[in-house]
Amino acid sequence: MSQQVKSYDMYTKQHNMHQEVLSGLSQDKKTLQAKYFYDQRGSELFEQITRQPEYYLTRTELEILSQHQVAIADCIGPVHTLIEYGSGSSRKIKSLLSSLHQLEAYMPIDISKEFLIQSAHQLSQDYPTLDIKAVCGDYSTPLVLPIEDKLKKVIFFPGSTIGNFDPDEAAAFLSRSCQLLEKGDGFLIGIDTKKAASVLDEAYNDQAGVTAQFNLNILQHINESLEGTFDLTWFEHVAFYNEAHGRVEMHLRSRIDQLVTVADQTFSFKQGETIHTENSYKYSVDDFQVLARQNGFTPVTCFTDRNQYFSVHYLEKT
Ligand SMILES: C[S@@+](CC[C@H](N)C(=O)[O-])C[C@H]1O[C@@H](n2cnc3c(N)ncnc32)[C@H](O)[C@@H]1O
């Protein structure tokens, strides 16, 4: 580990996987929280998803960030600390690290500990003077971060990962994030827009089957962490755009009637029954700006690609 990477574990002691998984599987409509996709294997599979031709999200957001990097840096102005939620491989941060003015510190925050530390270490090779504080934590809960209040901060939340929250949770999350900031601090966030269902359906059902493996990996993660007995061959990946809710849904459908044990509790599955594993809400530019305004932010600017497939919003704390 290089000298300038410090790591903070806020997750290992406080996490609630046992209770949250059992409670989700006990519902009439079984659910699992999307954050449980991400063990080391889940993070690696997500990286592979981002390179699939159907998954337009990553390449479009990278294009927007790269094409507008000067405008983004000028709009943000001098900034001391850049905080990134759900940083994963820290790939998207690079155009910002190269262009932001007077940046001294970077704080990636992710639930997937080994992957986070590995990515922070790799990043430090390219940015040897940057002070990197890698925080393993769950951003769906309040976090007390090791930051200095008075210095200007910007939060970066790419990947449209906020879409994994229901609109009420997204509102609460924005409002909690706002409390971490001072007036004049900012929030740069990537949001996937509403579009033809066929484009969305393809993006979440790649031909190579990587998204299917990623979805199934949540069961493997539960098997390893909670002594589960899921047989992955008896579940199949299902993903579709639910127009009425404006979200892509991912499910795992049981191929047969079966019993599965998790942490000594037994769950029965009917053939065709699903576990709802993820929502990815899509927002028009206007809808997202309304949500931001209602939760403590003033929209400053928004960049999109020529198809308007993806948007990157810069918001300031009001
Ligand atoms: C959809 S991926 C996006 C990764 C990367 N930011 C990108 O845009 O390609 C979501 C990332 O957020 C992390 N993550 C998901 N839920 C989380 C939570 N509740 N707290 C912290 N990190 C979380 C995952 O480990 C993963 O790295």
Side-chain angles (χ1 to χ4, degrees):
M1 173 77 45
S2 110
Q3 283 294 320
Q4 94 261 20
V5 178
K6 298 187 195 74
S7 64
Y8 302 80
D9 188 347
M10 303 188 171
Y11 183 62
T12 305
K13 281 198 183 140
Q14 109 193 86
H15 81 81
N16 226 354
M17 182 171 184
H18 179 272
Q19 194 247 314
E20 289 179 343
V21 166
L22 294 186
S23 147
L25 292 176
S26 305
Q27 310 291 316
D28 288 344
K29 290 193 172 168
K30 296 181 173 67
T31 59
L32 289 169
Q33 295 186 32
K35 64 185 177 187
Y36 293 123
F37 286 129
Y38 299 97
D39 56 0
Q40 176 73 12
R41 172 89 181 125
S43 296
E44 287 164 6
L45 284 168
F46 183 76
E47 266 311 292
Q48 285 182 39
I49 290 176
T50 66
R51 294 171 202 276
Q52 299 310 304
E54 299 89 343
Y55 197 80
Y56 63 86
L57 291 87
T58 304
R59 72 173 173 274
T60 311
E61 188 174 27
L62 281 168
E63 245 170 59
I64 296 172
L65 290 170
S66 144
Q67 206 172 342
H68 298 286
Q69 64 177 352
V70 174
I72 292 172
D74 289 349
C75 177
I76 291 177
V79 50
H80 180 275
T81 302
L82 190 56
I83 299 167
E84 183 177 5
Y85 288 134
S87 49
S89 64
S90 285
R91 182 159 142 228
K92 291 178 181 161
I93 203 78
K94 289 187 178 167
S95 69
L96 297 177
L97 295 181
S98 305
S99 59
L100 287 179
H101 310 302
Q102 298 174 24
L103 187 71
E104 294 196 17
Y106 169 54
M107 181 177 294
I109 303 174
D110 207 286
I111 205 165
S112 183
K113 188 173 173 186
E114 283 76 31
F115 200 74
L116 165 78
I117 306 281
Q118 219 172 288
S119 305
H121 179 55
Q122 271 164 16
L123 195 78
S124 73
Q125 312 291 314
D126 293 338
Y127 299 89
T129 59
L130 193 66
D131 174 16
I132 303 179
K133 293 179 176 164
V135 174
C136 179
D138 178 351
Y139 56 58
S140 65
T141 64
L143 290 174
V144 180
L145 298 175
I147 40 179
E148 293 173 54
D149 281 350
K150 297 264 150 41
L151 301 168
K152 175 157 169 170
K153 298 174 284 305
V154 167
I155 297 175
F156 179 48
F157 194 23
S160 204
T161 309
I162 194 172
N164 294 158
F165 290 128
D166 288 344
D168 284 354
E169 293 167 345
F173 169 80
L174 283 172
S175 168
R176 228 177 16 252
S177 300
C178 194
Q179 286 164 25
L180 283 177
L181 303 175
E182 308 286 321
K183 195 167 167 48
D185 287 348
F187 199 146
L188 186 70
I189 182 163
I191 302 289
D192 196 17
T193 57
K194 289 189 167 140
K195 58 186 66 65
S198 56
V199 176
L200 291 163
D201 287 348
E202 275 183 26
Y204 290 80
N205 288 284
D206 61 275
Q207 292 275 315
V210 184
T211 308
Q213 287 178 58
F214 171 76
N215 196 4
L216 284 161
N217 182 64
I218 201 167
L219 303 182
Q220 185 61 31
H221 186 196
I222 291 171
N223 283 349
E224 286 163 15
S225 305
L226 299 172
E227 296 183 18
T229 62
F230 283 106
D231 181 340
L232 276 56
T233 55
W234 294 125
F235 286 88
E236 64 190 344
H237 166 74
V238 178
F240 57 91
Y241 184 52
N242 180 332
E243 195 120 30
H245 287 282
R247 68 189 190 203
V248 173
E249 295 184 11
M250 290 215 306
H251 296 256
L252 288 166
R253 183 162 57 208
S254 179
R255 294 177 191 269
I256 52 166
D257 288 351
Q258 56 181 316
L259 293 176
V260 175
T261 303
V262 177
D264 290 334
Q265 206 165 309
T266 302
F267 299 93
S268 73
F269 289 85
K270 291 266 173 251
Q271 182 181 10
E273 183 180 356
T274 74
I275 312 175
H276 191 164
T277 49
E278 188 184 69
N279 286 321
S280 297
Y281 281 85
K282 311 299 171 187
Y283 292 90
S284 71
V285 167
D286 287 349
D287 288 350
F288 184 73
Q289 290 187 339
V290 168
L291 186 70
R293 274 201 188 88
Q294 287 168 344
N295 293 284
F297 289 99
T298 303
V300 176
T301 185
C302 173
F303 302 94
T304 59
D305 57 295
R306 66 173 183 283
N307 295 320
Q308 308 223 320
Y309 269 15
F310 203 90
S311 56
V312 174
H313 296 251
Y314 184 61
L315 318 168
E316 267 181 6
K317 180 173 168 128
T318 305

